[in-house]
Structure formats: C-alpha cells, structure tokens
Amino acid sequence: MTKKHVGQFVKGVSGNPSGRPKQESAHIREELAKHSADIIQKLLDKALIDGDLQALKMILDRLVPPLKAVSLPSAVHVPADATLSEMATAIIQQSLNGEVEPSDALQLLNALQLLKPVSITDNYIKRENEPDPFGLGIC
C-alpha cells in the first residue's frame, strides 16, 4: 500500500514507481541531424522558389535575429558630497529634462535604494567611533 489516507503517500515510497517516461528528444535530434542538409534545402526552396513567407521568416530569424532596444550611456551629474536623497532628486530632474533616459534613471534609482542600508550602517559606525564630548559613555 502506497497511500496512508486519501491523497497522502507513505513516506519513502514513490508515487510513480515506473519513473518519468524517457524523452524521445535525443532520438529526434539524431534524426534531424542526419537529414539537416535536406531539411535546410527544402526550406530554402520553399522560401526562394515557392515564395513561402513562413519559410522565409524562419530563415531570416536565424540569419538576422531581431534587434533589441539598447540605450546609449548617458552622463549623470550629481554633486560629490550629495546625500542619497539629493542624488535621487538630481537623477529624477535630469530624467525630466531629457538628459537621462527614463530606463537609466530607474536603474540608478534602484541602485540608490540598495545603497540605503549601507549608508545607514556607515553613519552608525561613524557615530560609534566619534569621541564622547562629555565623557558620559553615550553618543
């Protein structure tokens, strides 16, 4: 018996004793490899001789993959001693002015958000290392 109750299998007993069925993809790939030259020639004939647009599209998709949108690098001007909030404001303003692509601005703002815990930790360490001006043992 492989089930305790309805829908529950006994621990350590497989619910599929014969296992996953063998994939035939390896066999199919071997057969395609044997006939690849003929398949390519047939596809070329359909595209060039018969004018089959689907065959032509298949060939073009393989030869010239679709272009992906790429944004050119853009310079972001942020004061060297700016806080994270001031940096974010500068990035947003430059994006609104068209100086920075919106997608680049979003990536930069996400990066700034990741810096927030680092900034908090840095400020905490600085406070801990400052001398206590009153000698009371508190900062």
Side-chain angles (χ1 to χ4, degrees), residues 9 14-15 28 31 42 46 50-51 69 73 84 98 104-105 110 112 135 139:
F9 288 100
S14 173
I28 292 170
E31 288 299 313
K42 181 80 169 178
K46 288 190 81 50
D50 299 342
L84 292 178
D104 292 342
N110 285 334
L112 287 179
C139 292

Side-chain angles (χ1 to χ4, degrees), residues 89-123:
T89 302
I91 291 167
I92 291 168
Q93 189 60 52
Q94 290 173 50
S95 178
L96 291 172
N97 294 342
E99 300 166 30
V100 177
E101 290 290 325
S103 60
D104 292 342
L106 182 61
Q107 286 181 334
L108 290 169
L109 292 171
N110 285 334
L112 287 179
Q113 186 176 7
L114 293 174
L115 284 175
K116 185 177 179 182
V118 175
S119 177
I120 291 170
T121 303
D122 283 347
N123 289 337

